Amino acid sequence: MQGYSFELVTGPMGCGKTEELLRRVRRTIIAKKKVKVISPEVDTRAHGDYIESRNGLWLEAIKVKNAAQILSVVKQDDEIVAIDELQFFDEYIVKVISKLVEAGKKVIGTGLDLDFKAEPFGYMPELMCLATKIDKLSAVCMKCGSEYATRTQRLVDGKPVDKNSPLIMIGGDETYEARCIKCYELPDVKSETRKREFKLLHFGE
Ligand SMILES: [Zn+2]
């Protein structure tokens, strides 16, 4: 088990990032290492204090409100720090992970590389530069079945949302699916009716 390292698993929605994180964490538990599993509170998939992959695997996790809080959660004798959904953290996440790695810990993280607009998500570009090892996974395209789905399509009522939709929608009626570059769609709709519709979804009123 190597300390002083940062393994990053990235890719679109549904590529198996969390599943891979859980697999790696389980191995460290078998090796009797001290491990902390952390996830941002914004993650709506898991409601309790745990992280869950799409295939139903789960592990207890500590929910944090921001990146700085990670440092107060991790204890000196923790050897492994696993962090899910890194794309949701503030800019301090880059410093926090550097500090953990420099303190000799092995950090294993996951995060979406691209948002639904196919633009770099949060501080993932910086984290990819900082990583010791990166595994970029692809998903199966939900439209054509290609094994190289690298993008995350956001759908509302089964239709692709346009560019003006907010980056993070909590409690909305939206779904996501993995798509290949050929099948990915990003309409540029700016009509007032559409805007109002998204506002309502965003605030859940
Ligand atoms: Zn496709």
Side-chain angles (χ1 to χ4, degrees):
M1 194 67 57
Q2 299 273 307
Y4 298 98
S5 62
F6 171 36
E7 294 179 1
L8 182 59
V9 186
T10 187
M13 197 77 81
C15 71
K17 298 184 295 294
T18 303
E19 197 183 325
E20 178 58 22
L21 179 86
L22 294 178
R23 190 186 73 84
R24 292 186 195 184
V25 169
R26 286 220 154 84
R27 290 169 64 92
T28 70
I29 293 170
I30 292 167
K32 296 186 167 56
K33 299 285 174 187
K34 282 215 158 215
V35 53
K36 276 271 152 66
V37 183
I38 295 163
S39 111
E41 230 175 39
V42 70
D43 183 8
T44 52
R45 237 189 314 158
H47 298 289
D49 290 333
Y50 58 92
I51 55 170
E52 192 179 8
S53 70
R54 265 150 230 280
N55 64 355
L57 296 173
W58 65 277
L59 212 67
E60 253 180 70
I62 299 164
K63 299 273 171 168
V64 294
K65 285 190 173 64
N66 52 50
Q69 219 185 321
I70 294 173
L71 293 177
S72 58
V73 161
V74 176
K75 298 282 174 289
Q76 215 174 348
D77 61 346
D78 285 324
E79 296 164 276
I80 320 286
V81 182
I83 313 170
D84 201 23
E85 306 279 11
L86 281 169
Q87 79 278 359
F88 286 138
F89 283 99
D90 53 275
E91 79 268 24
Y92 197 51
I93 192 65
V94 182
K95 251 188 197 165
V96 166
I97 291 181
S98 298
K99 275 190 182 178
L100 294 173
V101 171
E102 281 158 20
K105 306 194 188 301
K106 174 178 177 172
V107 178
I108 311 170
T110 72
L112 284 168
D113 49 353
L114 300 173
D115 61 24
F116 77 95
K117 296 178 189 178
E119 286 167 4
F121 207 141
Y123 289 88
M124 285 300 287
E126 284 82 351
L127 294 177
M128 286 171 88
C129 293
L130 189 71
T132 322
K133 180 176 178 265
I134 301 172
D135 288 289
K136 185 161 171 167
L137 308 179
S138 64
V140 175
C141 176
M142 298 288 279
K143 235 185 154 185
C144 76
S146 155
E147 280 185 67
Y148 291 108
T150 54
R151 295 188 177 180
T152 302
Q153 182 80 57
R154 182 193 277 170
L155 305 158
V156 171
D157 297 330
K159 291 187 198 95
V161 295
D162 63 70
K163 276 184 183 171
N164 308 304
S165 174
L167 192 60
I168 300 169
M169 276 204 289
I170 310 292
D173 197 20
E174 87 280 10
T175 52
Y176 293 89
E177 63 180 35
R179 290 208 183 169
C180 71
I181 291 172
K182 186 168 66 88
C183 298
Y184 170 79
E185 298 165 75
L186 186 65
D188 191 6
V189 183
K190 277 178 183 159
S191 88
E192 270 311 300
T193 15
R194 296 280 289 168
K195 262 190 199 162
R196 228 172 283 139
E197 205 180 300
F198 286 126
K199 245 181 219 162
L200 287 176
L201 277 175
H202 187 50
F203 296 110
E205 287 158 3

